[in-house]
Amino acid sequence: QSGQRGTLLRCFIDSERGITVDDCERVSRQLSDLIEAEQLYNEAYTLEVSSPGVDRPLFTPEQIARQCGEQIEVKLSDLFEGRRRIAGELLGVEGETVKLADADSEYEIPLRMIDKAKVVYEWTT
């Protein structure tokens, strides 16, 4: 991403155990050193390293499958059973299909139709 202050390089890191500020700082130093050593940018840049956060996007079938039992939301490339967005409990990923259930129905959505997927958290107090 480019702007008046140069290029913004955004890097998301993730781990099964979670991400700490120390992890972000360590990766930021390592990437900065690599960028400088390899002279990848000759202009001003800002490096931003962070965790994808609570509402992290799910990019791969493996990432989606790890959320089995969680509430997720998918945005679809085309209408599927009259809908473009479906939210519900992830029942699983089998082959090229995501199985999702909301209060009314169960869906078997082809992976190729999913543009975006994310975990949906309900905050309680």
Side-chain angles (χ1 to χ4, degrees):
Q1 193 174 30
S2 292
Q4 289 179 329
R5 298 181 187 182
T7 300
L8 172 62
L9 303 175
R10 185 173 290 142
C11 176
F12 293 104
I13 58 175
D14 202 0
S15 169
E16 293 285 326
R17 63 174 176 71
I19 296 297
T20 66
V21 172
D22 291 338
D23 294 329
C24 292
E25 184 179 336
R26 187 181 75 256
V27 169
S28 179
R29 268 192 255 109
Q30 292 171 344
L31 283 175
S32 290
D33 291 347
L34 177 66
I35 290 167
E36 296 300 319
E38 297 295 324
Q39 299 177 351
L40 297 175
Y41 285 94
N42 296 326
E43 59 186 66
Y45 69 90
T46 301
L47 177 61
E48 182 180 288
V49 177
S50 66
S51 164
V54 172
D55 62 345
R56 68 190 59 209
L58 305 170
F59 295 106
T60 66
E62 294 79 18
Q63 288 175 331
I64 294 171
R66 282 196 298 263
Q67 303 305 318
C68 196
E70 298 291 337
Q71 294 292 312
I72 70 166
E73 178 183 74
V74 294
K75 181 181 172 190
L76 306 171
S77 57
D78 292 308
L79 288 177
F80 181 83
E81 297 188 17
R83 299 174 69 179
R84 267 250 154 97
R85 291 179 188 263
I86 301 174
E89 180 183 349
L90 177 63
L91 303 177
V93 177
E94 293 181 14
E96 296 297 312
T97 303
V98 171
K99 294 186 175 192
L100 193 64
D102 64 14
D104 301 318
S105 303
E106 285 191 13
Y107 304 92
E108 292 188 11
I109 304 165
L111 278 167
R112 64 178 162 63
M113 289 185 70
I114 297 175
D115 273 344
K116 294 182 181 180
K118 69 177 186 174
V119 175
V120 178
Y121 288 95
E122 292 186 25
W123 302 100
T124 58
T125 55

